[in-house]
């Protein structure tokens, strides 16, 4: 159910991306990341309260860095920029690339 909701939300994101106010694509990416951090903060802190903090392993840190840099930062940055340059119809073909790199 969550995956299905995510697909619909991502489709809405890609559809409305072309209607974003005129701003630099990195500013838009930073704003979107801030919304994501704000959205995830509540479940994160509730997990911390419920289970307490744990020390991540080196493999976990590496995986989080990889996912944070490549499929999140770079892929979304390129996708946002491509929508701005070639439009959402032609850029939509590459909508699933962040998932592939993830």
């Amino acid at each position: 159910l969550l995956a299905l909701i995510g697909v619909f939300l991502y489709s809405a994101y890609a559809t409305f991306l072309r209607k974003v106010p005129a701003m630099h694509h990195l500013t838009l990416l930073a704003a979107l990341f801030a919304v994501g951090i704000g959205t995830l903060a509540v479940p994160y802190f509730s997990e911390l309260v419920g289970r307490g903090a744990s020390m991540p392993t080196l493999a976990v840190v590496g995986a989080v860095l990889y996912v944070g840099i490549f499929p999140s930062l770079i892929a979304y940055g390129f996708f946002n920029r491509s929508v701005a340059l070639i439009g959402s119809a032609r850029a939509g073909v590459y909508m699933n690339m962040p998932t592939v790199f993830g």
Side-chain angles (χ1 to χ4, degrees):
L1 181 62
L2 287 176
L4 189 60
I5 292 169
V7 167
F8 284 115
L9 288 175
Y10 191 66
S11 299
Y13 162 75
T15 302
F16 292 112
L17 191 59
R18 66 184 177 159
K19 298 180 182 190
V20 169
M23 66 174 66
H24 194 268
H25 65 278
L26 292 178
T27 305
L28 173 64
L29 196 60
L32 291 172
F33 280 10
V35 169
I37 289 170
T39 303
L40 292 173
V42 172
Y44 174 72
F45 286 119
S46 68
E47 184 73 17
L48 279 178
V49 168
R51 295 187 184 208
S54 64
M55 191 61 144
T57 64
L58 186 59
V60 170
V61 171
V64 168
L65 285 176
Y66 173 78
V67 169
I69 293 171
F70 295 106
S72 294
L73 181 65
I74 294 174
Y76 278 103
F78 283 162
F79 182 72
N80 290 351
R81 186 69 177 143
S82 68
V83 169
L85 292 176
I86 65 174
S88 60
R90 292 195 305 177
V93 176
Y94 304 102
M95 253 177 93
N96 296 315
M97 293 311 287
T99 307
V100 171
F101 289 115

